[in-house]
Protein backbone atom coordinates (compact mmCIF):
# COMPACT_ATOMS: atom_id res chain seq x y z
CA UNK A 1 0.00 0.00 0.00
CA UNK A 2 2.76 2.47 0.89
CA UNK A 3 4.56 1.65 -2.32
CA UNK A 4 1.40 2.38 -4.31
CA UNK A 5 0.96 5.76 -2.61
CA UNK A 6 4.60 6.64 -3.18
CA UNK A 7 4.28 5.64 -6.84
CA UNK A 8 1.37 8.05 -7.21
CA UNK A 9 3.19 10.86 -5.40
CA UNK A 10 6.32 10.43 -7.49
CA UNK A 11 4.51 10.32 -10.82
CA UNK A 12 4.96 13.41 -13.03
CA UNK A 13 1.22 13.47 -13.79
CA UNK A 14 0.43 13.79 -10.07
CA UNK A 15 3.02 16.52 -9.60
CA UNK A 16 1.54 18.45 -12.53
CA UNK A 17 -1.93 18.03 -11.07
CA UNK A 18 -0.81 19.30 -7.67
CA UNK A 19 0.85 22.31 -9.34
CA UNK A 20 -2.31 23.08 -11.34
CA UNK A 21 -4.49 22.83 -8.25
CA UNK A 22 -2.15 25.15 -6.36
CA UNK A 23 -2.14 27.64 -9.21
CA UNK A 24 -5.90 27.82 -9.61
CA UNK A 25 -6.37 28.02 -5.85
CA UNK A 26 -3.82 30.83 -5.56
CA UNK A 27 -5.35 32.87 -8.39
CA UNK A 28 -8.89 32.54 -7.05
CA UNK A 29 -7.72 33.35 -3.52
CA UNK A 30 -5.87 36.47 -4.67
CA UNK A 31 -8.94 37.67 -6.59
CA UNK A 32 -11.20 37.16 -3.57
CA UNK A 33 -8.79 38.75 -1.10
CA UNK A 34 -8.29 41.70 -3.44
CA UNK A 35 -12.02 42.30 -3.73
CA UNK A 36 -12.69 41.84 -0.01
CA UNK A 37 -9.81 43.91 1.28
CA UNK A 38 -10.37 46.49 -1.45
CA UNK A 39 -13.94 46.89 -0.20
CA UNK A 40 -12.78 47.15 3.42
CA UNK A 41 -10.04 49.65 2.56
CA UNK A 42 -12.43 51.85 0.59
CA UNK A 43 -14.85 51.66 3.50
CA UNK A 44 -12.10 52.62 5.94
CA UNK A 45 -10.44 55.42 3.99
CA UNK A 46 -13.07 56.79 1.58
CA UNK A 47 -16.47 56.40 3.23
CA UNK A 48 -17.89 59.16 1.05
CA UNK A 49 -17.47 56.99 -2.05
CA UNK A 50 -19.58 54.16 -0.66
CA UNK A 51 -22.04 56.39 1.14
CA UNK A 52 -23.15 58.14 -2.06
CA UNK A 53 -26.80 57.53 -2.78
CA UNK A 54 -28.00 55.73 -5.89
CA UNK A 55 -31.61 56.22 -4.91
CA UNK A 56 -33.40 57.06 -1.68
CA UNK A 57 -32.43 54.37 0.82
CA UNK A 58 -29.82 52.73 -1.43
CA UNK A 59 -26.20 53.76 -1.06
CA UNK A 60 -23.38 52.71 -3.39
CA UNK A 61 -21.98 50.46 -0.65
CA UNK A 62 -24.94 48.05 -0.75
CA UNK A 63 -24.51 46.89 -4.38
CA UNK A 64 -20.72 46.87 -3.98
CA UNK A 65 -21.02 44.69 -0.87
CA UNK A 66 -23.48 42.45 -2.69
CA UNK A 67 -20.99 42.18 -5.56
CA UNK A 68 -18.28 41.00 -3.13
CA UNK A 69 -20.62 38.29 -1.82
CA UNK A 70 -21.65 37.22 -5.32
CA UNK A 71 -18.01 37.20 -6.40
CA UNK A 72 -17.25 34.73 -3.60
CA UNK A 73 -20.05 32.46 -4.83
CA UNK A 74 -18.89 32.84 -8.42
CA UNK A 75 -15.28 32.02 -7.63
CA UNK A 76 -16.44 28.99 -5.67
CA UNK A 77 -18.44 27.95 -8.72
CA UNK A 78 -15.37 28.39 -10.95
CA UNK A 79 -13.34 26.17 -8.63
CA UNK A 80 -16.05 23.51 -8.42
CA UNK A 81 -16.44 23.52 -12.21
CA UNK A 82 -12.68 23.19 -12.65
CA UNK A 83 -12.45 20.43 -10.04
CA UNK A 84 -15.31 18.44 -11.53
CA UNK A 85 -14.19 18.92 -15.12
CA UNK A 86 -10.39 18.87 -15.09
CA UNK A 87 -9.22 17.68 -11.68
CA UNK A 88 -11.45 14.62 -11.31
CA UNK A 89 -10.74 13.42 -14.84
CA UNK A 90 -6.98 13.85 -14.25
CA UNK A 91 -7.20 11.88 -10.99
CA UNK A 92 -9.09 9.09 -12.75
CA UNK A 93 -6.52 9.06 -15.56
CA UNK A 94 -3.68 8.69 -13.03
CA UNK A 95 -5.55 5.88 -11.26
CA UNK A 96 -6.20 4.04 -14.52
CA UNK A 97 -2.56 4.42 -15.52
CA UNK A 98 -1.43 2.91 -12.25
CA UNK A 99 -3.91 0.03 -12.52
CA UNK A 100 -2.55 -0.81 -15.97
CA UNK A 101 1.03 -0.75 -14.72
CA UNK A 102 0.35 -3.30 -11.95
Amino acid sequence: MKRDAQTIIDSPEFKDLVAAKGSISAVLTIIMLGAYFGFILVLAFNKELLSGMLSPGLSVGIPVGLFVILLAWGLTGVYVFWANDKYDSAVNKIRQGLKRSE
Side-chain angles (χ1 to χ4, degrees), residues 15 34 60 86:
K15 289 180 181 181
V60 173
K86 306 283 187 215

Side-chain angles (χ1 to χ4, degrees), residues 36-102:
Y36 178 75
F37 283 111
F39 177 72
I40 297 300
L41 289 172
V42 169
L43 184 62
F45 296 111
N46 195 357
K47 292 179 187 172
E48 298 78 30
L49 180 66
L50 294 177
S51 64
M53 299 304 276
L54 294 174
S55 65
L58 181 64
S59 69
V60 173
I62 299 297
V64 173
L66 182 61
F67 169 76
V68 171
I69 293 168
L70 294 176
L71 179 66
W73 289 356
L75 293 177
T76 301
V78 167
Y79 183 80
V80 168
F81 178 78
W82 175 82
N84 288 339
D85 187 47
K86 306 283 187 215
Y87 184 79
D88 289 345
S89 64
V91 167
N92 289 331
K93 184 178 173 184
I94 291 170
R95 284 181 182 162
Q96 293 302 321
L98 288 173
K99 285 181 183 177
R100 278 187 241 125
S101 67
E102 289 177 353

Side-chain angles (χ1 to χ4, degrees), residues 8-19:
I8 294 171
I9 291 169
D10 291 338
S11 71
E13 296 88 3
F14 181 76
K15 289 180 181 181
D16 290 344
L17 184 60
V18 169

